[in-house]
Coordinates of all heavy atoms in Angstrom, one line a residue:
M1 N 111.1 97.6 114.6 CA 111.1 98.4 113.4 C 112.5 98.5 112.7 O 112.8 99.4 112.0 CB 110.7 99.8 113.8 CG 109.3 100.0 114.4 SD 108.0 99.4 113.2 CE 107.6 101.0 112.5
K2 N 113.4 97.5 112.9 CA 114.7 97.6 112.4 C 114.8 97.3 110.9 O 115.7 97.6 110.2 CB 115.7 96.8 113.2 CG 115.4 95.3 113.3 CD 116.4 94.6 114.1 CE 116.0 93.3 114.8 NZ 115.2 92.4 113.9
D3 N 113.9 96.4 110.4 CA 113.9 96.0 109.1 C 113.2 96.9 108.1 O 113.2 96.5 106.9 CB 113.4 94.5 109.0 CG 114.4 93.6 109.7 OD1 115.6 93.8 109.5 OD2 113.9 92.7 110.3
N4 N 112.7 97.9 108.5 CA 112.0 98.8 107.6 C 112.9 99.7 106.8 O 113.0 100.9 107.0 CB 110.9 99.6 108.3 CG 109.7 98.8 108.6 OD1 109.6 97.6 108.3 ND2 108.7 99.4 109.2
K5 N 113.5 99.1 105.8 CA 114.5 99.9 105.0 C 113.7 100.8 104.1 O 112.7 100.4 103.5 CB 115.4 98.9 104.2 CG 116.5 98.4 105.0 CD 117.5 97.6 104.1 CE 116.8 96.5 103.4 NZ 117.7 95.7 102.6
L6 N 114.3 101.9 103.8 CA 113.7 102.8 102.8 C 114.0 102.3 101.4 O 115.2 101.8 101.2 CB 114.2 104.2 102.9 CG 113.7 105.0 104.2 CD1 114.5 106.3 104.3 CD2 112.2 105.3 104.1
K7 N 113.1 102.4 100.5 CA 113.5 102.0 99.1 C 112.7 102.8 98.1 O 111.7 103.4 98.4 CB 113.2 100.5 98.9 CG 111.8 100.1 99.2 CD 111.6 98.7 98.7 CE 110.1 98.3 98.8 NZ 109.8 97.1 98.1
L8 N 113.2 102.8 96.9 CA 112.6 103.5 95.8 C 111.6 102.5 95.1 O 111.8 101.4 95.0 CB 113.6 103.9 94.7 CG 114.4 105.2 94.9 CD1 115.3 105.4 93.8 CD2 113.4 106.4 95.0
K9 N 110.5 103.1 94.8 CA 109.5 102.3 94.1 C 108.8 103.1 93.0 O 108.6 104.3 93.2 CB 108.4 102.0 95.1 CG 107.2 101.2 94.6 CD 106.3 100.8 95.7 CE 105.2 100.0 95.1 NZ 105.6 98.8 94.4
N10 N 108.7 102.5 91.8 CA 107.9 103.2 90.8 C 106.5 102.9 91.0 O 105.9 101.9 90.8 CB 108.4 102.6 89.4 CG 107.7 103.3 88.2 OD1 106.9 104.2 88.4 ND2 107.9 102.8 87.1
Y11 N 105.8 104.0 91.4 CA 104.5 104.0 91.8 C 103.5 103.5 90.6 O 102.5 102.9 90.8 CB 104.2 105.4 92.2 CG 102.8 105.8 92.5 CD1 102.3 105.6 93.8 CD2 102.0 106.4 91.6 CE1 101.1 106.0 94.1 CE2 100.7 106.8 91.9 CZ 100.2 106.6 93.2 OH 99.0 107.0 93.4
M12 N 104.0 103.8 89.4 CA 103.2 103.5 88.2 C 103.1 102.0 88.1 O 102.1 101.5 87.5 CB 103.9 104.0 87.0 CG 103.8 105.5 86.9 SD 102.1 106.1 87.0 CE 101.9 106.8 85.4
E13 N 104.0 101.2 88.6 CA 103.9 99.7 88.5 C 102.6 99.3 89.2 O 102.0 98.3 88.8 CB 105.1 99.1 89.2 CG 106.4 99.1 88.3 CD 107.5 98.3 89.0 OE1 107.3 97.4 89.8 OE2 108.7 98.7 88.8
D14 N 102.4 99.9 90.3 CA 101.2 99.5 91.1 C 99.9 99.9 90.4 O 98.9 99.2 90.4 CB 101.2 100.1 92.5 CG 102.1 99.4 93.4 OD1 102.8 98.4 93.0 OD2 102.1 99.7 94.6
V15 N 99.9 101.0 89.8 CA 98.7 101.5 89.1 C 98.5 100.6 87.9 O 97.3 100.1 87.7 CB 98.9 103.0 88.6 CG1 97.6 103.5 87.9 CG2 99.3 103.9 89.7
V16 N 99.5 100.3 87.2 CA 99.4 99.3 86.0 C 98.9 98.0 86.5 O 98.0 97.4 85.9 CB 100.7 99.2 85.3 CG1 100.8 98.1 84.3 CG2 101.0 100.5 84.5
A17 N 99.5 97.4 87.5 CA 99.1 96.1 88.0 C 97.6 96.1 88.5 O 96.9 95.1 88.3 CB 100.0 95.7 89.2
L18 N 97.2 97.2 89.0 CA 95.9 97.3 89.5 C 94.8 97.4 88.4 O 93.7 96.9 88.5 CB 95.8 98.6 90.4 CG 94.7 98.6 91.4 CD1 94.9 97.6 92.5 CD2 94.7 100.0 92.1
L19 N 95.2 98.1 87.3 CA 94.2 98.3 86.2 C 94.2 97.2 85.2 O 93.2 97.1 84.5 CB 94.5 99.7 85.6 CG 94.2 100.9 86.5 CD1 94.7 102.2 85.8 CD2 92.7 101.0 86.9
I20 N 95.3 96.5 85.1 CA 95.4 95.5 84.0 C 94.3 94.4 84.0 O 93.6 94.1 83.0 CB 96.8 94.8 83.8 CG1 96.9 94.0 82.6 CG2 97.2 94.1 85.1 CD1 98.3 93.5 82.3
D21 N 94.0 93.9 85.2 CA 93.0 92.9 85.3 C 91.7 93.2 84.9 O 91.0 92.5 84.1 CB 93.0 92.3 86.8 CG 94.3 91.6 87.1 OD1 94.8 90.9 86.2 OD2 94.8 91.7 88.2
E22 N 91.2 94.4 85.3 CA 89.9 94.8 84.8 C 89.8 95.1 83.3 O 88.8 95.0 82.7 CB 89.3 96.0 85.6 CG 90.0 97.3 85.5 CD 89.4 98.4 86.4 OE1 89.7 98.5 87.6 OE2 88.5 99.1 85.9
L23 N 91.0 95.4 82.7 CA 91.0 95.7 81.3 C 91.0 94.5 80.4 O 90.6 94.4 79.3 CB 92.1 96.6 80.9 CG 92.0 98.1 81.4 CD1 93.3 98.9 81.1 CD2 90.8 98.8 80.8
I24 N 91.6 93.4 81.0 CA 91.7 92.2 80.1 C 90.7 91.1 80.5 O 90.5 90.2 79.7 CB 93.2 91.5 80.3 CG1 93.5 91.0 81.7 CG2 94.2 92.5 79.8 CD1 94.8 90.2 81.7
K25 N 90.0 91.3 81.6 CA 89.1 90.2 82.0 C 88.0 89.8 81.0 O 87.6 88.7 80.8 CB 88.5 90.4 83.4 CG 87.5 91.5 83.5 CD 86.8 91.5 84.9 CE 85.6 92.5 84.9 NZ 85.8 93.6 85.7
D26 N 87.5 90.8 80.3 CA 86.4 90.6 79.3 C 86.9 90.4 77.9 O 86.1 90.3 76.9 CB 85.4 91.7 79.3 CG 84.7 91.8 80.6 OD1 84.5 90.7 81.3 OD2 84.4 92.9 81.1
R27 N 88.2 90.3 77.7 CA 88.8 90.2 76.4 C 89.0 88.7 76.0 O 89.5 88.0 76.9 CB 90.0 91.0 76.2 CG 89.8 92.4 75.8 CD 91.0 93.2 76.1 NE 90.6 94.6 76.3 CZ 90.5 95.4 75.3 NH1 90.9 95.1 74.1 NH2 90.0 96.6 75.5
D28 N 88.9 88.4 74.7 CA 89.2 87.1 74.3 C 90.7 87.0 73.9 O 91.0 87.3 72.8 CB 88.3 86.8 73.1 CG 88.6 85.3 72.6 OD1 89.1 84.5 73.4 OD2 88.3 85.1 71.4
M29 N 91.5 86.8 74.9 CA 93.0 86.8 74.7 C 93.7 86.0 75.7 O 93.1 85.6 76.7 CB 93.5 88.2 74.7 CG 93.2 88.9 76.1 SD 94.0 90.5 76.2 CE 95.7 90.1 76.4
C30 N 94.9 85.7 75.5 CA 95.7 84.9 76.4 C 95.9 85.7 77.7 O 96.3 86.9 77.6 CB 97.0 84.4 75.8 SG 98.0 83.6 77.0
K31 N 95.7 85.1 78.9 CA 95.9 85.9 80.1 C 96.9 85.3 81.0 O 96.9 85.4 82.2 CB 94.5 86.0 80.8 CG 93.5 86.9 80.1 CD 92.1 86.7 80.5 CE 91.2 87.5 79.5 NZ 89.8 87.0 79.5
C32 N 97.8 84.6 80.4 CA 98.9 83.9 81.2 C 99.8 85.0 81.8 O 99.8 86.1 81.4 CB 99.7 82.9 80.3 SG 100.8 83.7 79.2
E33 N 100.7 84.5 82.7 CA 101.6 85.5 83.4 C 102.5 86.1 82.4 O 102.8 87.3 82.5 CB 102.4 84.6 84.4 CG 103.2 85.5 85.3 CD 102.4 86.3 86.3 OE1 101.2 86.2 86.3 OE2 103.0 87.1 87.0
H34 N 103.0 85.4 81.4 CA 103.9 85.9 80.4 C 103.3 87.1 79.6 O 103.8 88.2 79.5 CB 104.4 84.8 79.4 CG 105.5 85.2 78.6 ND1 106.3 84.3 78.0 CD2 106.0 86.4 78.3 CE1 107.3 85.0 77.3 NE2 107.1 86.2 77.4
C35 N 102.0 86.9 79.2 CA 101.3 87.9 78.4 C 101.0 89.2 79.3 O 101.2 90.3 78.9 CB 100.1 87.4 77.8 SG 100.5 86.3 76.4
R36 N 100.6 88.9 80.6 CA 100.3 90.0 81.5 C 101.6 90.8 81.7 O 101.5 92.0 81.7 CB 99.8 89.4 82.8 CG 98.4 89.0 82.8 CD 98.0 88.5 84.2 NE 97.5 89.6 85.0 CZ 98.2 90.0 86.1 NH1 99.3 89.5 86.5 NH2 97.7 91.0 86.8
L37 N 102.7 90.2 81.9 CA 104.0 90.9 82.2 C 104.4 91.6 80.9 O 104.9 92.7 81.0 CB 105.1 90.0 82.7 CG 104.8 89.4 84.1 CD1 105.8 88.4 84.5 CD2 104.8 90.6 85.2
D38 N 104.2 91.0 79.7 CA 104.6 91.7 78.5 C 103.8 93.0 78.4 O 104.3 94.0 78.0 CB 104.3 90.8 77.3 CG 105.5 89.9 77.0 OD1 106.6 90.0 77.6 OD2 105.2 88.8 76.3
I39 N 102.5 92.9 78.6 CA 101.6 94.1 78.5 C 102.1 95.2 79.5 O 102.2 96.3 79.2 CB 100.2 93.7 78.8 CG1 99.6 92.8 77.7 CG2 99.2 94.9 79.0 CD1 98.3 92.1 78.0
M40 N 102.3 94.7 80.8 CA 102.8 95.7 81.7 C 104.1 96.4 81.4 O 104.3 97.5 81.6 CB 102.9 95.0 83.1 CG 101.6 94.7 83.7 SD 101.7 93.7 85.3 CE 102.4 94.9 86.3
A41 N 105.0 95.6 80.8 CA 106.3 96.1 80.4 C 106.2 97.2 79.3 O 106.8 98.3 79.4 CB 107.3 95.0 79.9
I42 N 105.3 96.9 78.3 CA 105.2 97.8 77.2 C 104.5 99.1 77.8 O 104.9 100.2 77.4 CB 104.3 97.2 76.1 CG1 105.0 96.0 75.4 CG2 103.8 98.2 75.1 CD1 104.2 95.1 74.5
A43 N 103.5 98.9 78.5 CA 102.8 100.1 79.1 C 103.8 100.9 79.9 O 103.8 102.2 79.8 CB 101.6 99.7 79.9
L44 N 104.5 100.3 80.8 CA 105.4 101.0 81.7 C 106.5 101.7 81.0 O 107.0 102.8 81.4 CB 105.9 100.1 82.8 CG 105.0 99.8 83.9 CD1 105.4 98.5 84.7 CD2 104.8 101.0 84.9
N45 N 107.0 101.1 79.9 CA 108.0 101.8 79.1 C 107.6 103.1 78.4 O 108.4 103.9 78.1 CB 108.6 100.8 78.0 CG 109.6 99.8 78.6 OD1 110.2 100.1 79.6 ND2 109.7 98.7 78.0
R46 N 106.3 103.2 78.3 CA 105.8 104.3 77.6 C 105.2 105.4 78.5 O 104.8 106.5 78.1 CB 104.6 103.9 76.6 CG 105.2 103.2 75.5 CD 104.2 102.7 74.6 NE 104.8 101.9 73.5 CZ 104.3 101.6 72.4 NH1 103.1 102.0 72.1 NH2 104.9 100.9 71.5
L47 N 105.1 105.0 79.8 CA 104.6 106.0 80.8 C 105.8 106.6 81.5 O 106.9 106.0 81.7 CB 103.8 105.2 81.8 CG 102.4 104.7 81.3 CD1 101.9 103.6 82.2 CD2 101.4 105.9 81.3
V48 N 105.5 107.8 82.0 CA 106.6 108.5 82.8 C 106.6 107.9 84.1 O 105.6 107.8 84.8 CB 106.3 110.0 82.9 CG1 107.3 110.7 83.7 CG2 106.2 110.6 81.5
P49 N 107.8 107.4 84.6 CA 107.8 106.8 85.9 C 107.6 107.7 87.0 O 107.9 108.9 86.9 CB 109.2 106.2 86.0 CG 110.0 106.8 84.9 CD 109.1 107.3 83.9
K50 N 107.0 107.3 88.1 CA 106.7 108.1 89.3 C 107.3 107.5 90.5 O 106.7 106.6 91.1 CB 105.2 108.2 89.5 CG 104.5 109.3 88.7 CD 104.5 110.6 89.5 CE 103.8 111.7 88.8 NZ 104.7 112.7 88.3
Y51 N 108.6 107.9 90.7 CA 109.2 107.2 91.9 C 108.9 107.9 93.2 O 108.8 109.1 93.3 CB 110.8 107.3 91.7 CG 111.2 106.2 90.7 CD1 111.4 106.5 89.3 CD2 111.3 104.8 91.1 CE1 111.8 105.5 88.4 CE2 111.7 103.9 90.2 CZ 111.9 104.2 88.9 OH 112.2 103.2 88.0
I52 N 108.7 107.0 94.2 CA 108.4 107.5 95.5 C 109.3 106.7 96.4 O 109.8 105.7 96.1 CB 106.9 107.3 95.9 CG1 106.5 105.8 95.7 CG2 106.0 108.2 95.1 CD1 105.1 105.5 96.3
V53 N 109.4 107.3 97.6 CA 110.2 106.6 98.7 C 109.3 106.0 99.6 O 108.4 106.6 100.1 CB 111.2 107.6 99.4 CG1 111.9 106.9 100.5 CG2 112.1 108.3 98.4
T54 N 109.5 104.7 99.8 CA 108.6 104.0 100.7 C 109.4 103.2 101.7 O 110.6 103.0 101.5 CB 107.7 102.9 100.0 OG1 108.5 101.9 99.5 CG2 106.8 103.6 99.0
R55 N 108.8 102.7 102.7 CA 109.4 101.8 103.6 C 109.0 100.4 103.2 O 107.9 100.2 102.8 CB 109.1 102.0 105.1 CG 109.6 103.3 105.6 CD 109.6 103.3 107.1 NE 110.1 104.6 107.5 CZ 111.4 104.9 107.7 NH1 112.3 103.9 107.6 NH2 111.8 106.0 108.1
E56 N 110.0 99.4 103.3 CA 109.7 98.0 102.9 C 108.5 97.5 103.7 O 108.3 97.7 104.9 CB 110.9 97.2 103.3 CG 111.2 96.2 102.3 CD 112.6 95.7 102.3 OE1 113.5 96.4 101.9 OE2 112.8 94.6 102.9
G57 N 107.6 97.0 103.0 CA 106.4 96.4 103.6 C 105.3 97.3 103.8 O 104.2 97.0 104.2
E58 N 105.6 98.6 103.4 CA 104.5 99.6 103.7 C 103.5 99.5 102.6 O 103.8 99.3 101.4 CB 105.2 101.0 103.6 CG 104.3 102.1 104.0 CD 105.1 103.4 104.0 OE1 105.4 103.9 102.9 OE2 105.4 103.9 105.1
V59 N 102.2 99.6 103.0 CA 101.2 99.5 101.9 C 100.4 100.9 102.0 O 100.2 101.4 103.0 CB 100.1 98.4 102.2 CG1 100.8 97.1 101.7 CG2 99.7 98.3 103.6
Y60 N 100.0 101.2 100.8 CA 99.1 102.4 100.8 C 97.8 102.1 100.2 O 97.7 101.1 99.5 CB 99.8 103.6 100.1 CG 100.6 103.3 98.9 CD1 100.0 103.3 97.6 CD2 101.9 103.0 99.0 CE1 100.7 102.9 96.5 CE2 102.7 102.6 97.9 CZ 102.1 102.6 96.6 OH 102.8 102.3 95.5
A61 N 96.8 102.9 100.5 CA 95.5 102.5 100.0 C 95.3 102.5 98.5 O 95.8 103.3 97.8 CB 94.5 103.5 100.6
K62 N 94.7 101.4 98.0 CA 94.5 101.3 96.6 C 93.6 102.4 96.1 O 93.7 102.8 94.9 CB 93.9 99.9 96.3 CG 94.9 98.8 96.4 CD 94.4 97.5 95.9 CE 95.5 96.5 95.9 NZ 95.1 95.1 95.3
T63 N 92.7 102.8 96.8 CA 91.8 103.8 96.4 C 92.6 105.1 96.0 O 92.2 105.9 95.2 CB 90.7 104.2 97.4 OG1 91.3 104.3 98.7 CG2 89.6 103.1 97.5
D64 N 93.6 105.3 96.8 CA 94.5 106.4 96.5 C 95.1 106.3 95.1 O 95.1 107.3 94.4 CB 95.7 106.2 97.5 CG 95.8 107.3 98.5 OD1 94.8 107.8 98.8 OD2 97.0 107.7 98.9
L65 N 95.5 105.2 94.7 CA 96.1 105.0 93.4 C 95.1 105.3 92.4 O 95.4 105.9 91.4 CB 96.5 103.5 93.2 CG 97.7 102.9 94.0 CD1 97.8 101.4 93.8 CD2 99.0 103.6 93.6
L66 N 93.9 104.8 92.5 CA 92.9 105.0 91.5 C 92.4 106.4 91.3 O 91.9 106.7 90.3 CB 91.7 104.1 91.8 CG 92.0 102.6 91.7 CD1 90.9 101.8 92.2 CD2 92.3 102.2 90.2
S67 N 92.5 107.2 92.3 CA 92.0 108.6 92.2 C 93.1 109.5 91.5 O 92.8 110.7 91.3 CB 91.6 109.1 93.5 OG 92.8 109.2 94.4
R68 N 94.3 109.0 91.3 CA 95.3 109.9 90.7 C 95.0 110.2 89.3 O 94.4 109.5 88.6 CB 96.6 109.2 90.9 CG 97.0 108.8 92.3 CD 97.3 110.0 93.1 NE 97.4 109.7 94.5 CZ 98.5 110.0 95.3 NH1 99.4 110.8 94.8 NH2 98.5 109.7 96.5
Q69 N 95.6 111.4 88.9 CA 95.3 111.8 87.6 C 95.9 111.0 86.5 O 95.4 110.9 85.4 CB 95.9 113.2 87.5 CG 97.4 113.3 87.5 CD 98.0 114.6 87.8 OE1 97.5 115.3 88.7 NE2 99.1 115.0 87.2
Y70 N 97.0 110.2 86.8 CA 97.5 109.3 85.7 C 96.7 108.2 85.4 O 97.1 107.4 84.5 CB 99.0 108.9 86.0 CG 99.5 109.4 87.3 CD1 99.5 108.5 88.4 CD2 100.1 110.6 87.4 CE1 100.0 109.0 89.6 CE2 100.7 111.0 88.6 CZ 100.6 110.2 89.7 OH 101.1 110.6 90.9
R71 N 95.7 107.9 86.0 CA 94.8 106.8 85.7 C 94.5 106.7 84.2 O 94.6 105.7 83.6 CB 93.6 106.8 86.6 CG 92.7 105.6 86.4 CD 91.3 105.8 87.1 NE 90.3 104.9 86.5 CZ 89.9 103.8 87.0 NH1 90.3 103.5 88.2 NH2 89.1 103.0 86.4
T72 N 94.1 107.9 83.7 CA 93.7 107.9 82.2 C 94.9 107.5 81.4 O 94.8 106.8 80.4 CB 93.2 109.3 81.9 OG1 92.3 109.7 82.8 CG2 92.5 109.3 80.5
D73 N 96.1 108.1 81.7 CA 97.3 107.8 80.9 C 97.6 106.3 80.9 O 98.0 105.7 79.9 CB 98.5 108.6 81.4 CG 98.4 110.1 81.3 OD1 97.5 110.5 80.5 OD2 99.1 110.8 82.1
V74 N 97.5 105.7 82.1 CA 97.7 104.3 82.3 C 96.8 103.5 81.4 O 97.2 102.6 80.7 CB 97.7 103.9 83.8 CG1 97.8 102.4 83.9 CG2 98.8 104.6 84.6
I75 N 95.5 103.8 81.5 CA 94.5 103.0 80.7 C 94.9 103.2 79.2 O 94.8 102.1 78.5 CB 93.1 103.5 81.0 CG1 92.7 103.1 82.4 CG2 92.1 103.0 80.0 CD1 91.4 103.6 83.0
I76 N 95.2 104.3 78.7 CA 95.5 104.5 77.3 C 96.7 103.6 76.9 O 96.6 102.9 75.9 CB 95.8 106.0 77.0 CG1 94.5 106.8 77.1 CG2 96.4 106.1 75.6 CD1 94.7 108.3 77.1
Q77 N 97.7 103.6 77.7 CA 98.9 102.8 77.4 C 98.7 101.3 77.6 O 99.2 100.5 76.8 CB 100.1 103.2 78.3 CG 100.6 104.6 77.9 CD 101.0 104.9 76.4 OE1 101.2 103.9 75.7 NE2 101.0 106.1 76.1
L78 N 97.9 101.0 78.5 CA 97.5 99.6 78.7 C 96.7 99.0 77.6 O 97.0 98.0 77.0 CB 96.8 99.4 80.0 CG 97.6 99.1 81.3 CD1 96.7 99.0 82.5 CD2 98.3 97.8 81.1
L79 N 95.7 99.8 77.1 CA 94.9 99.3 76.0 C 95.8 99.2 74.7 O 95.6 98.2 74.0 CB 93.8 100.3 75.7 CG 92.7 100.4 76.7 CD1 91.7 101.5 76.5 CD2 92.0 99.0 76.8
N80 N 96.7 100.1 74.5 CA 97.6 100.0 73.4 C 98.5 98.7 73.5 O 98.7 98.0 72.6 CB 98.5 101.2 73.4 CG 99.5 101.2 72.3 OD1 99.2 101.1 71.1 ND2 100.8 101.3 72.7
A81 N 99.0 98.5 74.7 CA 99.9 97.3 75.0 C 99.1 96.0 74.8 O 99.6 95.0 74.3 CB 100.5 97.4 76.4
I82 N 97.8 96.0 75.3 CA 97.0 94.8 75.2 C 96.8 94.5 73.7 O 96.9 93.3 73.3 CB 95.6 95.0 75.9 CG1 95.8 95.0 77.4 CG2 94.6 94.0 75.4 CD1 94.6 95.5 78.2
D83 N 96.6 95.5 72.9 CA 96.4 95.3 71.5 C 97.6 94.7 70.8 O 97.5 93.7 70.1 CB 96.2 96.7 70.9 CG 95.5 96.6 69.5 OD1 94.5 95.9 69.4 OD2 96.0 97.3 68.6
I84 N 98.8 95.2 71.2 CA 100.1 94.6 70.6 C 100.3 93.2 71.0 O 100.5 92.3 70.2 CB 101.3 95.5 71.2 CG1 101.2 96.9 70.6 CG2 102.6 94.8 70.8 CD1 102.1 97.9 71.2
V85 N 100.1 92.9 72.3 CA 100.4 91.5 72.8 C 99.3 90.5 72.4 O 99.7 89.4 72.1 CB 100.6 91.6 74.4 CG1 100.7 90.2 75.0 CG2 101.8 92.4 74.8
S86 N 98.1 90.9 72.4 CA 97.0 90.0 72.0 C 97.2 89.6 70.6 O 96.8 88.5 70.2 CB 95.7 90.5 72.4 OG 95.3 91.6 71.6
K87 N 97.7 90.5 69.7 CA 97.9 90.1 68.3 C 99.1 89.3 68.1 O 99.2 88.5 67.2 CB 98.0 91.4 67.5 CG 96.7 92.0 67.2 CD 96.9 93.3 66.3 CE 95.6 94.0 66.2 NZ 95.8 95.5 66.0
K88 N 100.1 89.4 69.0 CA 101.4 88.7 68.8 C 102.0 88.3 70.1 O 102.9 88.9 70.6 CB 102.3 89.6 68.1 CG 103.1 88.9 67.0 CD 104.0 89.9 66.3 CE 104.9 89.2 65.3 NZ 105.8 90.1 64.6
P89 N 101.4 87.2 70.8 CA 101.9 86.8 72.1 C 103.4 86.3 71.9 O 103.6 85.7 70.9 CB 101.0 85.7 72.5 CG 99.8 85.7 71.6 CD 100.2 86.4 70.3
H90 N 104.2 86.5 72.9 CA 105.6 86.0 72.8 C 105.8 84.5 73.2 O 106.8 84.2 73.8 CB 106.5 86.9 73.7 CG 106.8 88.2 73.1 ND1 107.3 89.3 73.8 CD2 106.6 88.7 71.8 CE1 107.4 90.4 73.0 NE2 107.0 90.0 71.8
H91 N 104.8 83.7 72.8 CA 105.0 82.3 73.2 C 104.2 81.4 72.2 O 103.4 82.0 71.5 CB 104.7 82.0 74.6 CG 103.3 82.4 75.0 ND1 102.2 81.7 74.6 CD2 102.9 83.5 75.7 CE1 101.2 82.3 75.1 NE2 101.5 83.4 75.8
Ligands
ZN1 ZN1 100.1 84.1 77.1

């Protein structure tokens, strides 16, 4: 257990990463890594970060993430970011 360093993590990154795929999968738009990351960056910049302390390599249940109250905020910001990026991809 010596390598389990404590670290800070923005919990919202995981919520965004988890929800982006289901939001873009039925859309007629570019789904490359660049566009996905652009969407995530825009959404995360507009969301209030939620930092938590975790141990390296620690995983928490995804169902936990989805039941949180910020799910709605994340979806709103993701849809807005998808709109921006799909109209003007950075490549
Ligand atoms: Zn793209």
Side-chain angles (χ1 to χ4, degrees):
M1 299 297 268
K2 56 178 159 48
D3 290 319
N4 280 1
K5 282 189 299 187
L6 288 171
K7 59 171 190 171
L8 274 179
K9 176 176 180 59
N10 181 5
Y11 176 87
M12 291 306 245
E13 282 182 28
D14 280 8
V15 184
V16 165
L18 203 64
L19 294 172
I20 187 171
D21 290 323
E22 66 180 86
L23 290 175
I24 66 174
K25 74 169 187 251
D26 296 326
R27 272 163 205 269
D28 182 22
M29 59 174 287
C30 178
K31 289 159 190 162
C32 77
E33 190 66 5
H34 194 161
C35 289
R36 284 181 85 249
L37 290 173
D38 278 344
I39 292 166
M40 289 174 68
I42 292 168
L44 283 164
N45 279 335
R46 293 178 181 197
L47 288 159
V48 178
K50 273 267 180 255
Y51 282 97
I52 55 171
V53 178
T54 65
R55 289 197 184 273
E56 219 159 283
E58 189 175 73
V59 282
Y60 39 92
K62 285 188 174 183
T63 46
D64 243 33
L65 291 173
L66 291 170
S67 64
R68 304 292 171 127
Q69 70 200 40
Y70 1 93
R71 186 191 157 101
T72 313
D73 295 340
V74 171
I75 289 173
I76 291 167
Q77 292 306 338
L78 270 174
L79 289 174
N80 176 60
I82 286 167
D83 200 48
I84 293 167
V85 174
S86 63
K87 281 180 187 150
K88 221 176 177 181
H90 283 167
H91 59 73

